[in-house]
């Protein structure tokens, strides 16, 4: 890749103790839609993490003693400031990640704003438990307090969205934090640091250390004074984090990968189901942990579904992410694009049929995007359940469609992977929808819809998709220690 000559490189700095701090070495960050290096990200390690831990520990006594209402007001202020700059944040997220400007404007940044508002509100409404034991003359009650310094590690697919989903509950509960965004998508986190002081977040409450997982991430995971790690990313990295943190018995929340099924019964409303399933397969280039990648269609409607699904997928326009009419932007990196393409090749080698997209349809890109990491939405059929395309998380714009006969059979096949994050079920039969939802091994089940979230309720995965849940009550419990107090009167 060539350097972007026309513009000066954007150089990020760590944010520690309320100050921007330069780093001794930097990592190149690419614009995925052009292939140019356009930004330098600090390559932090132990030393930077040490400084951030010190700042976070120093800030903890004051921040944790503020009332929930005071913290709530600060979170709301921060939400307002991000919202005020929504367009600048959306542009930056699109450029840094490759996602379309439309997605960044309508999903990523509004949700980041909402994360702060949501936890600013929910922190005011928790009640603790109390029980009485009249015969013993006792009352028992629980009290909750923040844990201390929280380590927050997030991935590249929804950069500010997922980072704020951790920062907001952590600081709302009175913890101080060290956050490490993905080294591939660090820009919006850095932009947010510029707003913290104005929002009234005291120095040291939110520290951001940029860098790789191997250096900065591990330094955070291994630090003895960071008792809690909230991680979103791949299952492989989660295994490593579990091992590295084990000697310290840290509290872990792990939000991991998925291989999410859509189950489409012959009584489904296809006029709703088809556009939603195209969206659930290809939104954000298929780079959402909740994206559908295995579509099970009941045999009676299989050929009609396939025909209409492929026609709908072909309508999705791939190209320059900053063009508001574009539906599919660039994938995160050259390596990732290669990996995703290889899955399609493997499927073909195994005898599956590629119905549209990669290797089948021409990909016409604007002149400025010829070196970007683009790929068309790709639909694969006649693929075996045991094939790697049906078992492994591809995390790109690739989805597999297969036929099934019975309810019993499809539940077994849908559950036949190591993951268990999200599933969708399409049917007009209420009884069937409940039966199937109960039996799916999946942290989330959407019926006749996709990605409709109420942040009050638990979010997270079963099996290799994670440990723990996040949401109003779940995040509150994760980010606090509970104590049971007994009073005899
Ligand atoms: P990744 O695991 O490679 O990286 C995630 C983060 O962990 C990055 O910040 C990375 O720098 C850091 N990291 C890497 N190695 C580390 C180590 N040894 N110690 C500490 N930190 C380390 O994941 P990714 O490729 O950035 O993201 C894609 C993955 O995230 C997919 O598997 C996707 O399904 C998953 N994901 C899950 C959810 C969810 O809520 N369940 C949401 C979004 C993404």
């Amino acid at each position: 890749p060539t350097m972007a000559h026309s513009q000066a490189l954007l150089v990020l700095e760590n944010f520690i103790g309320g100050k921007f701090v330069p780093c001794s070495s930097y990592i190149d960050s690419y614009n995925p839609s052009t292939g140019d290096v356009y930004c330098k990200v600090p390559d932090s390690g132990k030393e930077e993490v040490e400084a951030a831990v010190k700042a976070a520990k120093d800030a903890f006594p004051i921040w944790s003693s503020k009332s929930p209402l005071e913290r709530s007001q600060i979170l709301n202020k921060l939400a307002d400031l991000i919202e005020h700059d929504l367009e600048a944040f959306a542009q930056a997220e699109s450029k840094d990640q490759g996602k379309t400007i439309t997605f960044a404007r309508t999903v990523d940044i509004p949700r980041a704003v909402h994360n702060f508002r949501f936890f600013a509100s929910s922190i005011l409404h928790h009640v603790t438990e109390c029980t009485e034991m009249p015969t013993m003359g006792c009352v028992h009650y629980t009290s909750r307090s923040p844990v201390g310094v929280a380590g927050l590690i997030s991935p590249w697919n929804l950069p500010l969205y997922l980072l704020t989903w951790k920062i907001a509950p952590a600081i709302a509960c009175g913890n101080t934090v060290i956050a490490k965004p993905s080294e591939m998508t660090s820009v919006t986190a850095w932009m947010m640091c510029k707003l913290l002081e104005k929002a009234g977040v005291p120095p040291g409450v939110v520290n951001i250390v940029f860098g790789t997982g191997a250096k900065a991430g591990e330094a955070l995971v291994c630090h003895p004074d960071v008792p809690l790690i909230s991680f979103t990313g791949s299952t492989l990295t989660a295994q490593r984090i579990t091992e590295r943190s084990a000697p310290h018995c840290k509290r872990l929340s792990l939000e991991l990968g998925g291989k999410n099924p859509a189950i489409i019964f012959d009584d489904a409303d296809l006029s709703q189901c088809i556009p939603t399933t195209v969206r659930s397969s290809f939104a954000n280039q298929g780079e959402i942990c909740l994206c559908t990648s295995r579509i099970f269609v009941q045999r009676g409607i299989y050929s009609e579904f396939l025909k209409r699904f492929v026609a709908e997928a072909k309508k999705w326009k791939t190209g320059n992410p900053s063009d508001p009419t574009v539906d599919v932007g660039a994938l995160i990196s050259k390596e990732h694009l290669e990996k995703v393409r290889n899955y399609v090749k493997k499927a073909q080698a195994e005898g599956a049929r590629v119905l549209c997209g990669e290797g089948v349809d021409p990909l016409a890109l604007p002149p400025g995007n010829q070196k970007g990491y683009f790929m068309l939405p790709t639909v694969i059929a006649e693929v075996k359940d045991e094939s790697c395309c049906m078992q492994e998380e591809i995390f790109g714009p690739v989805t597999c469609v297969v036929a099934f006969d019975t309810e019993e059979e499809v539940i077994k096949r849908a559950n036949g992977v190591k993951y268990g994050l999200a599933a969708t079920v399409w049917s007009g039969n209420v009884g069937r929808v409940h039966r199937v939802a109960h039996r799916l091994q999946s942290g989330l089940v959407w019926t006749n819809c996709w990605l409709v979230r109420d942040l009050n309720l638990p979010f997270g995965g079963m099996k290799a998709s994670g440990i723990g849940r996040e949401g109003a009550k779940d995040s509150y419990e994760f980010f606090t220690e509970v104590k049971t107090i007994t009073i005899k009167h």
Side-chain angles (χ1 to χ4, degrees):
T2 53
M3 289 280 212
H5 301 292
S6 49
Q7 284 173 326
L9 291 180
L10 182 62
V11 182
L12 310 189
E13 291 176 321
N14 287 323
F15 189 74
I16 298 172
K19 293 198 174 68
F20 286 99
V21 190
C23 195
S24 54
S25 62
Y26 290 82
I27 312 161
D28 286 339
S29 184
Y30 295 85
N31 175 338
S33 71
T34 62
D36 291 326
V37 172
Y38 86 106
C39 172
K40 294 271 182 193
V41 174
D43 185 12
S44 313
K46 276 196 182 133
E47 205 180 304
E48 290 76 11
V49 167
E50 191 60 54
V53 172
K54 185 175 182 309
K57 280 171 73 176
D58 288 349
F60 183 73
I62 290 179
W63 183 246
S64 58
S65 61
K66 283 194 188 300
S67 72
L69 184 60
E70 283 174 289
R71 293 197 292 259
S72 168
Q73 284 161 342
I74 292 171
L75 262 68
N76 272 322
K77 187 83 199 289
L78 183 55
D80 291 345
L81 292 170
I82 299 172
E83 192 171 50
H84 180 266
D85 292 349
L86 193 145
E87 184 56 24
F89 273 99
Q91 295 282 354
E93 202 74 297
S94 169
K95 184 170 183 182
D96 203 26
Q97 205 274 342
K99 65 179 66 231
T100 66
I101 184 64
T102 308
F103 200 83
R105 261 183 205 141
T106 56
V107 180
D108 288 84
I109 310 305
R111 172 60 187 271
V113 170
H114 187 59
N115 285 338
F116 284 111
R117 288 210 178 114
F118 179 81
F119 285 104
S121 165
S122 81
I123 193 67
L124 303 176
H125 304 290
H126 294 292
V127 285
T128 53
E129 295 150 290
C130 178
T131 60
E132 287 185 74
M133 257 182 195
T135 54
M136 300 292 289
C138 287
V139 289
H140 308 273
Y141 67 93
T142 58
S143 114
R144 285 197 172 261
S145 45
V147 180
V149 177
L152 314 176
I153 302 177
S154 60
W156 49 256
N157 63 328
L158 300 163
L160 194 65
Y161 172 138
L162 288 174
L163 193 68
T164 53
W165 175 237
K166 298 185 185 304
I167 293 177
I171 65 172
C173 292
N175 300 284
T176 56
V177 307
I178 298 155
K180 195 209 81 66
S182 167
E183 61 275 28
M184 287 184 271
T185 53
S186 295
V187 173
T188 48
W190 171 78
M191 287 169 69
M192 186 181 73
C193 294
K194 298 188 200 178
L195 305 176
L196 294 173
E197 189 182 350
K198 200 167 171 199
V201 179
V205 172
V206 175
N207 304 279
I208 306 217
V209 172
F210 297 102
T212 64
K215 258 175 83 181
E218 290 223 4
L220 189 54
V221 165
C222 297
H223 200 290
D225 295 339
V226 179
L228 166 158
I229 301 285
S230 175
F231 169 79
T232 299
S234 65
T235 303
L236 204 65
T237 305
Q239 285 164 351
R240 173 89 185 158
I241 289 178
T242 306
E243 281 170 22
R244 301 294 281 145
S245 64
H248 304 284
C249 294
K250 296 196 181 194
R251 186 186 292 192
L252 300 180
S253 168
L254 306 172
E255 297 288 347
L256 314 177
K259 189 69 194 169
N260 311 309
I263 301 177
I264 299 164
F265 287 98
D266 56 12
D267 61 352
D269 175 355
L270 290 187
S271 67
Q272 297 281 324
C273 167
I274 287 173
T276 304
T277 309
V278 168
R279 199 161 55 82
S280 74
S281 297
F282 304 124
N284 204 46
Q285 300 71 244
E287 296 169 331
I288 307 181
C289 55
L290 305 167
C291 274
T292 302
S293 60
R294 296 179 296 144
I295 305 176
F296 295 91
V297 185
Q298 207 159 19
R299 189 135 352 238
I301 56 164
Y302 181 72
S303 23
E304 186 200 347
F305 176 89
L306 210 52
K307 206 169 104 213
R308 287 171 62 181
F309 185 77
V310 168
E312 187 73 23
K314 282 184 163 194
K315 286 188 201 154
W316 277 45
K317 184 172 159 190
T318 303
N320 188 348
S322 59
D323 174 347
T325 67
V326 159
D327 306 291
V328 184
L331 274 68
I332 184 67
S333 66
K334 203 171 174 188
E335 295 71 32
H336 188 58
L337 175 65
E338 271 322 299
K339 184 183 146 193
V340 176
R341 280 188 173 145
N342 274 331
Y343 274 106
V344 182
K345 287 198 193 108
K346 279 189 215 166
Q348 275 170 317
E350 288 172 1
R353 255 187 338 130
V354 180
L355 300 176
C356 66
E358 175 66 17
V360 176
D361 298 305
L363 172 58
L365 293 168
N369 298 108
Q370 299 289 332
K371 291 190 183 144
Y373 318 133
F374 294 91
M375 181 174 167
L376 292 167
T378 300
V379 180
I380 306 178
E382 281 148 45
V383 50
K384 295 192 177 66
D385 284 10
E386 56 277 14
S387 145
C388 61
C389 284
M390 286 285 280
Q391 292 290 326
E392 294 167 21
E393 182 181 51
I394 300 176
F395 219 55
V398 177
T399 197
C400 298
V401 188
V402 295
F404 75 91
D405 292 294
T406 68
E407 185 178 312
E408 196 60 33
E409 169 207 336
V410 78
I411 291 170
K412 194 157 170 252
R413 290 172 68 191
N415 287 339
V417 292
K418 70 172 180 173
Y419 295 105
L421 186 56
T424 56
V425 180
W426 292 86
S427 168
N429 179 328
V430 177
R432 172 146 71 192
V433 156
H434 285 289
R435 264 195 322 271
V436 175
H438 279 282
R439 291 182 62 196
L440 287 173
Q441 295 165 348
S442 179
L444 303 139
V445 181
W446 281 293
T447 69
N448 300 321
C449 63
W450 178 68
L451 228 176
V452 182
R453 287 270 296 123
D454 177 346
L455 303 189
N456 281 297
L457 299 190
F459 177 95
M462 295 185 182
K463 294 156 76 179
S465 292
I467 294 181
R469 296 291 183 270
E470 295 177 333
K473 185 161 174 279
D474 299 86
S475 298
Y476 179 63
E477 287 175 357
F478 179 74
F479 285 112
T480 53
E481 282 284 10
V482 67
K483 188 182 290 172
T484 301
I485 300 170
T486 302
I487 308 287
K488 187 167 163 59
H489 49 82

